[in-house]
């Protein structure tokens, strides 16, 4: 019954206008606060996760709606984190949470960790390359190299293998230049 009630008003933000903001990643001012914080929808989704913790919809459908439609970044993060704990083997929740951490929370390291886990759970192999790029971008070059080497050890398809080898060479050569 709670889920039915929530899906009737998924876009409700009682605190502000119904203006939809782009992901924080795309905003000029990265400190722009969420349009909604602790919104009614967030509170209802939390309640559902307590009453029916094995019901996946709040994690797979509710959290992205909080993130994108309602613009309750903290509420979405909370629901994703609950979903990751409850369903540690669900590649979809890992993948969606990675998007949220990358574009809304602006935590590339956590996003990369979630992408790696999603890849291990069966997500497309390109998630490893994206994770390596996020780590390199964040100054974590050694971790990026480890991700690439681990992915190569899993024998990816030929196209991804070639891309990863090029990326590996680029990162290694940039390390050598800085060392001089």
């Amino acid at each position: 019954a709670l889920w039915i009630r929530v899906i009737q008003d998924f876009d409700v933000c009682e605190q502000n206008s119904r203006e939809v903001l782009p992901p924080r990643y795309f905003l000029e001012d990265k400190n722009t606060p969420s349009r909604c914080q602790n919104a009614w929808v967030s509170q209802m989704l939390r309640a559902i996760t307590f009453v029916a913790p094995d019901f996946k919809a709040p994690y797979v459908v509710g959290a992205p709606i909080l993130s994108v439609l309602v613009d309750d970044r903290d509420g979405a993060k909370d629901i994703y984190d609950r979903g990751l704990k409850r369903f540690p083997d669900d590649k979809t929740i890992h993948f969606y949470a990675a998007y949220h951490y990358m574009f809304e929370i602006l935590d590339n390291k956590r996003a990369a960790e979630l992408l790696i886990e999603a890849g291990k759970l069966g997500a497309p192999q390109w998630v490893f390359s994206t994770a390596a790029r996020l780590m390199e971008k964040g100054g974590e070059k050694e971790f990026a190299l480890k991700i690439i080497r681990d992915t190569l050890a899993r024998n990816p398809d030929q196209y991804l293998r070639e891309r990863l080898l090029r990326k590996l060479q680029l990162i290694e050569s940039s390390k050598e230049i800085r060392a001089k």
Side-chain angles (χ1 to χ4, degrees):
L2 289 174
W3 179 250
I4 299 298
R5 178 64 183 101
V6 169
I7 62 175
Q8 292 173 353
D9 289 315
F10 249 150
D11 64 339
V12 169
C13 173
E14 64 283 353
Q15 298 164 348
N16 292 311
S17 71
R18 291 185 180 255
E19 172 191 12
V20 176
L21 297 174
R24 191 159 57 151
Y25 184 84
F26 295 109
L27 294 172
E28 300 245 345
D29 180 7
K30 303 299 185 207
N31 296 316
T32 301
S34 294
R35 183 176 66 90
C36 282
Q37 296 200 7
N38 199 27
W40 174 84
V41 175
S42 177
Q43 294 173 39
M44 291 296 289
L45 290 172
R46 254 193 311 278
I48 293 168
T49 65
F50 283 120
V51 174
D54 292 331
F55 182 48
K56 278 192 181 180
Y59 311 111
V60 177
V61 178
I65 287 175
L66 275 176
S67 177
V68 178
L69 203 72
V70 178
D71 192 28
D72 183 351
R73 291 184 202 117
D74 293 335
K77 179 183 175 297
D78 178 57
I79 299 299
Y80 278 124
D81 290 345
R82 289 169 186 266
L84 292 165
K85 284 180 187 163
R86 191 68 182 179
F87 300 101
D89 297 329
D90 189 297
K91 69 181 176 197
T92 303
I93 295 173
H94 280 82
F95 187 78
Y96 289 0
Y99 170 89
H100 184 71
Y101 273 90
M102 185 177 4
F103 290 107
E104 300 293 351
I105 304 298
L106 305 178
D107 183 345
N108 285 342
K109 183 175 183 183
R110 181 67 178 137
E113 292 167 352
L114 290 165
L115 285 172
I116 291 166
E117 192 59 33
K120 289 177 182 176
L121 293 169
Q125 292 291 296
W126 57 260
V127 298
F128 293 109
S129 177
T130 302
R133 187 170 44 243
L134 287 171
M135 295 312 290
E136 180 195 10
K137 194 171 154 183
E140 301 277 344
K141 299 213 186 305
E142 291 301 322
F143 192 29
L145 289 169
K146 180 180 180 342
I147 294 168
I148 292 170
R149 289 183 184 120
D150 288 350
T151 305
L152 286 168
R154 280 193 283 281
N155 295 317
D157 65 44
Q158 188 60 33
Y159 174 73
L160 181 58
R161 174 175 281 295
E162 290 170 9
R163 287 185 59 207
L164 290 172
L165 288 170
R166 282 194 304 271
K167 187 68 173 170
L168 186 66
Q169 289 173 335
L170 281 170
I171 295 172
E172 286 176 337
S173 67
S174 71
K175 283 176 50 181
E176 291 170 10
I177 291 169
R178 289 196 188 114
K180 291 181 181 178

